Amino acid sequence: MSFSPSNAVRAARDETFSMLPESMDALAASVQSSREGSFAALGSAFLTRLPAAPVPDPYVIAISREMAASLGFDAQLADGPERDAFAAYFAGNPTRDWPSDALPYAAVYSGHQFGVWAGQLGDGRALTLGEIEHDGARLELQLKGAGRTPYSRMGDGRAVLRSSIREFLCSEAMHHLGIPTTRALALIGSDLPVRRESIETAAIVTRVAPSFVRFGHFEHFYSNDRIGELKTLADHVIDRFYPQCKAADDPYLALLDEVLKRTAELIVEWQGVGFCHGVMNTDNMSILGLTIDYGPFGFIDGFNAHHICNHSDTQGRYAYARQPQVGYWNLFCLAQALVPLMGAHLPEEGRAEKVVEEAQKVMEHYKTTFGPALERKMRAKLGLETERDDDAKLANALFDIMHANRADFTLTFRNLAKLSKHDASHDAPVRDLFLDRAAFDAWAVQYRERLSHESRDDTARAEAMNRVNPKYVLRNHLAEQAIRQAAQKDFTEVARLLDVLRYPYDEQPQYEAYAGLPPDWASDLEVSCSS
Ligand code: AMP
Ligand code: MG
């Protein structure tokens, strides 16, 4: 069974990609380095301009054609006579002298890492080239892994091929899942050696987003008591991304409220597909509520509510089940940083207390947003159209037996759509994922009872469920296969995975193997912070 985009829509969509002739020069010229209203225009308190450090003989590993089209150019540019120029440009190698006011830049920010104040951080290996405006949208282009910056601390400014493949693929996979995320345009490799636990090679991902501002940007100016710059930053974010806040009594309180809602909704999406971010430090929290900074992330295979995807997270601070609370904690850090801007509309007498009171009230919206949004998500995942009191209990009971049985997250929900509301004759595809068949059977009795209150038939329910329960996610072992081949200079698996993950909710019979359980060899795959 397939659903939207139907084949016709898909064909039309694909056709648009061959209608945008462009040249590398034209593309480079369309990247604006400090337009009015851009982050870059905020000036030197916020960023440092510097050229990227060139890499030897860069080559194109992959490109996202949807992203290229959204930026107004044809992805074939990366595959034709200008291939080398494309690779050089997106490696950060200067193709001509950079005019000094058009140099790329690294932004400064600070943050809390693993719950501890870490002080100044910043783009230690990311350089923003500028922004492209296309179809009314302004998007920033950023090279991750383009060399050292003033914020590199002890780091080498590089990113390795392995982690760059993961970031490139997951950015696009999340987008196709419908989950807010920074995007990826291109993945460029070089044989430049990079030392991690062993010697690896360098890669550069071109990331794309309307803004890369993080909670940590606000914490930076707050912690240094630079309230003027804090205000400049907040006004920039409001002007560009939350203009509706300007009309509020307190625009900065309204900003907190908006960011809080987006963050809550984002984390609901993560929980809904079994995604663990891995490093939810406040410097990795987007002010736009995007998934940002893909590191040791992971999609859960066999469900464990306390799954820790980051090998270095020994305390499990960022375990799956803790992500919602961590989001809330991080928002407190943002709230604290915004407090000095709040309360201008209040009488001076008692202002400080009132501001804190109001901010705390707004923080409560996290719970009133997150809870109901998670319930809606779980109802949709269970294929329930109507609401009944015990729905959350039913969902939790499923999670309990999934956890006890380490049932595969993605397959459990996907295969649940095959179950019939009438009898157990079609239970096998989901039931067989549970070692404790009796526990599943007991849950299925409750589930069927619940389905009996729904008017939808099995076919319609399955179709709706398949639109929210993906069949294809970037499982660690799939990324690992692409990484191992890429290390041998074979990039076909990267391209194939990008293709599979383009339609995560569709049946793609030619790619059935990509929807299966992880093979035995994958059980001891570990993903560390090193990237
Ligand atoms: P992360 O945990 O990857 O979000 O990184 C935390 C901070 O360390 C950020 O400021 C990064 O820019 C910086 N960083 C991470 N890796 C490197 C590296 N290899 N070179 C320079 N800076 C880095
Ligand atoms: Mg980061």
Side-chain angles (χ1 to χ4, degrees):
M1 185 187 341
S2 78
F3 74 93
S4 164
S6 71
N7 291 339
V9 173
R10 192 190 287 199
R13 193 164 111 177
D14 289 353
E15 216 168 81
T16 60
F17 295 116
S18 51
M19 290 168 19
L20 303 158
E22 272 290 359
S23 71
M24 229 12 252
D25 275 348
L27 172 58
S30 71
V31 179
Q32 311 240 359
S33 61
S34 56
R35 286 181 58 203
E36 202 185 312
S38 66
F39 180 84
L42 298 183
S44 60
F46 298 86
L47 52 96
T48 304
R49 289 191 182 273
L50 75 163
V55 292
D57 306 316
Y59 41 85
V60 178
I61 296 175
I63 179 164
S64 160
R65 61 185 192 209
E66 291 86 5
M67 195 63 253
S70 301
L71 293 167
F73 73 96
D74 189 333
Q76 283 169 14
L77 199 54
D79 213 18
E82 296 209 75
R83 190 181 175 92
D84 289 347
F86 184 94
Y89 184 80
F90 288 107
N93 289 5
T95 41
R96 56 199 152 112
D97 282 347
W98 304 95
S100 63
D101 61 346
L103 280 170
Y105 64 83
V108 64
Y109 50 82
S110 295
H112 283 83
Q113 299 187 318
F114 291 91
V116 177
W117 178 243
Q120 183 185 301
L121 305 163
D123 293 330
R125 52 172 167 174
L127 283 176
T128 304
L129 293 172
E131 53 176 43
I132 288 184
E133 178 164 3
H134 182 69
D135 269 353
R138 292 169 67 169
L139 293 169
E140 291 183 359
L141 272 66
Q142 186 178 81
L143 306 181
K144 180 168 177 180
R148 302 196 80 237
T149 78
Y151 317 112
S152 299
R153 298 182 292 167
M154 306 301 282
D156 57 7
R158 294 299 178 193
V160 294
L161 178 64
R162 155 179 63 82
S163 66
S164 303
I165 289 175
R166 285 167 49 86
E167 169 141 20
F168 175 84
L169 287 175
C170 202
S171 305
E172 292 306 277
M174 292 293 258
H175 167 72
H176 293 298
L177 282 167
I179 301 179
T181 179
T182 62
R183 300 285 305 275
L185 169 67
L187 174 59
I188 309 294
S190 162
D191 291 348
L192 178 77
V194 177
R195 182 182 292 274
R196 294 293 179 264
E197 284 86 353
S198 61
I199 303 287
E200 305 185 43
T201 60
I204 295 110
V205 179
T206 310
R207 309 199 286 192
V208 183
S211 170
F212 291 95
V213 170
R214 302 141 190 272
F215 291 9
H217 279 84
F218 292 87
E219 292 179 278
H220 180 71
F221 294 103
Y222 165 74
S223 68
N224 287 297
D225 207 21
R226 288 157 67 180
I227 307 306
E229 281 134 351
L230 181 67
K231 183 173 183 312
T232 301
L233 177 68
D235 289 342
H236 162 75
V237 168
I238 289 173
D239 268 349
R240 278 290 305 278
F241 307 108
Y242 298 99
Q244 68 277 24
C245 293
K246 280 192 254 185
D249 283 345
D250 190 331
Y252 307 106
L253 188 67
L255 174 64
L256 175 65
D257 207 2
E258 294 289 334
V259 176
L260 176 153
K261 283 176 190 144
R262 284 207 201 177
T263 305
E265 281 158 10
L266 174 69
I267 297 175
V268 166
E269 295 296 330
W270 289 355
Q271 303 305 98
V273 294
F275 176 81
C276 296
H277 181 282
V279 201
M280 289 176 69
N281 294 336
T282 57
D283 53 303
N284 291 339
M285 297 294 293
S286 153
I287 202 71
L288 301 185
L290 308 173
T291 313
I292 192 171
D293 276 12
Y294 292 89
F297 69 84
F299 286 87
I300 301 180
D301 295 312
F303 183 62
N304 170 1
H306 314 297
H307 178 70
I308 304 165
C309 63
N310 179 355
H311 181 54
S312 324
D313 181 8
T314 46
Q315 305 289 311
R317 180 179 175 86
Y318 299 138
Y320 172 80
R322 297 191 67 175
Q323 295 187 130
Q325 287 106 299
V326 170
Y328 189 47
W329 193 94
N330 289 344
L331 281 156
F332 265 103
C333 295
L334 177 67
Q336 185 175 26
L338 287 172
V339 156
L341 303 180
M342 293 176 186
H345 64 298
L346 298 171
E348 221 162 295
E349 169 98 19
R351 183 185 283 168
E353 293 76 22
K354 186 89 177 102
V355 160
V356 170
E357 197 181 297
E358 284 189 344
Q360 277 174 342
K361 221 187 284 162
V362 162
M363 286 300 298
E364 289 300 299
H365 295 170
Y366 186 80
K367 295 174 196 159
T368 51
T369 305
F370 185 85
L374 186 68
E375 277 196 27
R376 272 197 304 280
K377 173 64 70 182
M378 291 308 160
R379 266 196 198 97
K381 289 185 77 66
L382 292 177
L384 305 176
E385 257 187 319
T386 58
E387 288 181 23
R388 290 179 85 88
D389 285 347
D390 286 345
D391 290 347
K393 231 161 114 186
L394 183 69
N396 288 337
L398 176 60
F399 278 106
D400 285 346
I401 58 167
M402 283 166 65
H403 175 87
N405 287 267
R406 296 295 187 264
D408 186 80
F409 189 103
T410 305
L411 282 174
T412 297
F413 283 104
R414 185 72 182 188
N415 290 353
L416 200 54
K418 297 176 183 158
L419 180 143
S420 162
K421 69 194 281 188
H422 304 295
D423 55 56
S425 58
H426 292 79
D427 285 7
V430 57
R431 181 178 190 259
D432 290 351
L433 298 168
F434 293 78
L435 203 58
D436 182 354
R437 303 288 206 277
F440 177 78
D441 291 341
W443 183 81
V445 168
Q446 294 173 48
Y447 181 48
R448 249 186 290 277
E449 199 284 321
R450 175 63 184 84
L451 289 179
S452 71
H453 299 285
E454 295 271 310
S455 59
R456 233 173 5 189
D457 66 16
D458 282 337
T459 311
R461 188 188 89 250
E463 243 169 59
M465 289 173 80
N466 286 347
R467 239 168 284 150
V468 291
N469 296 321
K471 175 157 178 154
Y472 302 97
V473 295
L474 183 60
R475 294 175 185 265
N476 271 344
H477 77 276
L478 297 176
E480 183 65 21
Q481 275 163 334
I483 288 165
R484 288 182 187 178
Q485 288 191 16
Q488 309 300 317
K489 291 273 165 62
D490 175 355
F491 307 129
T492 49
E493 195 57 24
V494 176
R496 196 173 302 124
L497 263 181
L498 183 64
D499 201 40
V500 175
L501 297 169
R502 193 168 268 137
Y503 304 106
Y505 299 104
D506 286 15
E507 292 294 330
Q508 304 182 66
Q510 74 279 27
Y511 289 138
E512 200 58 34
Y514 290 81
L517 291 170
D520 286 342
W521 62 260
S523 60
D524 47 37
L525 276 181
E526 275 180 352
V527 185
S528 75
C529 244
S530 103
S531 58

